Amino acid sequence: MTRTEKQRCEYLIAEAKRILENSNIEYSKYERLQKEEKKVDAECALRNADQLRGYAKGIYQSLAVIGYSSESMKKLSEMI
């Protein structure tokens, strides 16, 4: 794998980590809205959180399929 390809993979890993953080924020928002009994808004937050988590998992799976492995990849798998 070339240096440029490795840099692109690391960029994707950083993006996946950022997306997972946003997903965690949405899950927190969901829980808060559930307590406030705002069911529609809570459902929207839950679906958004699930979509973000699925996007991050897709990035991870794509990198795993092409055989990329690094320390940051291991950290990403722990976060997922």
Side-chain angles (χ1 to χ4, degrees), residues 2-43:
T2 66
R3 191 180 88 222
T4 304
E5 290 171 333
K6 288 180 184 179
Q7 288 175 341
R8 288 181 181 163
C9 289
E10 288 298 322
Y11 172 78
L12 285 172
I13 290 171
E15 182 179 353
K17 287 179 180 178
R18 182 185 52 80
I19 290 168
L20 281 173
E21 290 172 5
N22 289 343
S23 175
N24 290 337
I25 291 169
E26 287 293 319
Y27 278 125
S28 298
K29 184 178 173 182
Y30 163 74
E31 291 172 357
R32 179 180 53 81
L33 290 169
Q34 278 291 100
K35 289 178 185 175
E36 295 174 3
E37 295 186 11
K38 296 181 179 178
K39 304 237 184 252
V40 174
D41 293 334
E43 185 66 26

Side-chain angles (χ1 to χ4, degrees), residues 1 4 7 11 16 28 34 38 45 50-51 55 65 76 78:
M1 187 173 277
T4 304
Q7 288 175 341
Y11 172 78
S28 298
Q34 278 291 100
K38 296 181 179 178
D50 287 340
Q51 179 188 16
Y55 181 52
V65 166
L76 179 61
E78 292 171 2

Side-chain angles (χ1 to χ4, degrees), residues 31-71:
E31 291 172 357
R32 179 180 53 81
L33 290 169
Q34 278 291 100
K35 289 178 185 175
E36 295 174 3
E37 295 186 11
K38 296 181 179 178
K39 304 237 184 252
V40 174
D41 293 334
E43 185 66 26
C44 290
L46 179 63
R47 288 176 187 242
N48 193 24
D50 287 340
Q51 179 188 16
L52 290 170
R53 185 166 297 277
Y55 181 52
K57 284 182 181 180
I59 290 173
Y60 174 77
Q61 288 174 350
S62 298
L63 292 172
V65 166
I66 65 170
Y68 184 72
S69 63
S70 69
E71 192 63 35

